Amino acid sequence: MNRHFSGVGVAVIAVVAIVLASMSMFVVDPTEQALVLRFGQPVRDLIGAPGLYFKMPFVDTAVYVDKRILALDNERQEVLVSDNQRLEVDAFVRYRIADPLLFYQSVFNTRGADAQLGGMLNSALRRTLSEASITDIVRDKRDALMADIRDQMIAGAKRFGLSVVDVRIKRADLPAENSEAVFRRMQTERQQRAASYRAQGSQQAQQIRAEADRKVTVITAQAQQQAEQIRGEGDGERNRIFAEAYGADPEFFKFYRSMQAYQNSFGGGPNSGTTRALVSPKSDFFRYFSTPTPPPEAGAGSMPSAKAE
């Protein structure tokens, strides 16, 4: 009987020892840091290195705090911007726990931190975006607006032991009932701009064509002037050659002119086939038909005429 009670006592002592040992030890993961609190107050420095640690059972509590960058995806909310347009905004916050003790004492855990940061983000979005237009939010001043919202979040998160890393707007959309109206307005603006571009292009095309026509007229006139000048110089040179030929051999020149008159009258000339002439065969016009070299007295007459009507 005594042996039975002795065995039970040993077992109880072993169980108590195991419980006390388990309550006095805790493990810190690489992604966490730990606070050891005694009645809500820290009794040792923050534990940031992973490993096995010990604490007083029953009176000490190990509080684990994540040391990674945490994310808060805020729910879509409707914001009234400066041009009285409603905008649905999706935003997110990236933060880390900078002061674990203050974090634990103020918000207790990450759910409390998300609740506080979500409220601050909604207020910062409404405060900043209410003074900006849709164009500023979507394109022109997006970075500056994000910087202003991030500064507000950084200042507000400090009192909860949090450090805000970044704040971003994922999407900024018009409500569904306004999207169609905005699309039609944008379509009308693009059509008006296209019509303006086409009108400007037509005007420039007309100017280019007019300038080209003017240049063609000027170049044609200059070419005609040069042609007339060259033609006049050629006629002058021809007359000079004829004059020199006539002075060198007047009898040959008379013979040459007679041959031209025969050609113009009987074949190949501009009046060939339409001219009617009544000329005696013994006329001086046909003197070169009887003999190639007429007597001097026969050639003393006037030049024969090839145009007898």
Side-chain angles (χ1 to χ4, degrees), residues 23-297:
M23 295 181 63
S24 64
M25 294 185 297
F26 63 96
V27 177
V28 178
D29 292 338
T31 60
E32 295 176 334
Q33 49 192 345
L35 287 171
V36 178
L37 305 179
R38 182 173 297 169
F39 306 112
Q41 297 297 324
V43 295
R44 57 193 300 182
D45 295 336
L46 177 68
I47 301 173
L52 178 64
Y53 296 89
F54 296 92
K55 61 182 179 65
M56 294 292 296
F58 299 109
V59 294
D60 290 348
T61 303
V63 177
Y64 299 100
V65 179
D66 203 322
K67 62 181 180 181
R68 295 172 296 181
I69 294 179
L70 305 176
L72 167 64
D73 289 328
N74 198 32
E75 295 183 358
R76 176 177 294 190
Q77 63 170 324
E78 194 172 274
V79 178
L80 187 65
V81 297
S82 63
D83 48 2
N84 292 327
Q85 292 285 340
R86 288 181 298 143
L87 203 64
E88 293 183 349
V89 179
D90 283 343
F92 68 86
V93 181
R94 297 291 182 265
Y95 69 95
R96 63 162 49 96
I97 301 172
D99 189 340
L101 180 60
L102 180 59
F103 163 79
Y104 177 76
Q105 293 174 343
S106 58
V107 296
F108 188 69
N109 53 28
T110 55
R111 288 193 298 272
D114 290 345
Q116 295 294 335
L117 290 176
M120 285 191 294
L121 179 59
N122 292 338
S123 299
L125 287 173
R126 295 180 184 278
R127 188 181 305 111
T128 300
L129 300 185
S130 63
E131 300 176 356
S133 64
I134 294 179
T135 305
D136 294 338
I137 297 171
V138 175
R139 184 186 60 192
D140 294 343
K141 298 181 180 179
R142 188 181 183 92
D143 293 340
L145 295 174
M146 289 296 93
D148 183 50
I149 295 173
R150 184 173 60 250
D151 292 342
Q152 297 181 45
M153 293 293 297
I154 291 174
K158 286 182 178 179
R159 64 177 183 269
F160 301 111
L162 304 175
S163 174
V164 173
V165 177
D166 195 12
V167 180
R168 292 290 172 181
I169 293 178
K170 293 189 295 184
R171 296 186 60 181
D173 297 328
L174 291 170
E177 61 271 16
N178 295 345
S179 298
E180 187 64 26
V182 173
F183 173 75
R184 288 195 297 268
R185 184 182 67 184
M186 293 175 63
Q187 186 179 33
T188 302
E189 292 176 354
R190 297 302 183 273
Q191 291 175 349
Q192 293 176 351
R193 185 174 299 179
S196 176
Y197 288 156
R198 283 194 293 268
Q200 294 176 3
S202 177
Q203 180 181 1
Q204 292 178 0
Q206 292 177 358
Q207 293 176 352
I208 293 172
R209 281 194 293 267
E211 181 66 18
D213 293 341
R214 185 189 68 81
K215 290 183 179 180
V216 168
T217 302
V218 172
I219 292 173
T220 303
Q222 292 176 350
Q224 291 177 349
Q225 179 181 2
Q226 292 177 359
E228 293 294 336
Q229 182 179 358
I230 294 173
R231 190 178 295 111
E233 293 175 354
D235 292 341
E237 183 67 16
R238 182 192 62 181
N239 294 334
R240 186 188 64 79
I241 294 174
F242 282 164
E244 291 179 355
Y246 181 77
D249 191 348
E251 189 60 34
F252 174 78
F253 188 73
K254 291 177 181 180
F255 173 77
Y256 175 73
R257 292 295 300 270
S258 296
M259 293 300 103
Q260 286 183 330
Y262 295 155
Q263 182 180 8
N264 292 332
S265 299
F266 304 124
N271 296 323
S272 176
T274 61
T275 302
R276 300 292 184 269
L278 297 176
V279 183
S280 174
K282 296 181 180 181
S283 172
D284 189 53
F285 182 71
F286 297 106
R287 66 184 183 277
Y288 289 104
F289 277 76
S290 59
T291 175
T293 307
E297 61 275 6

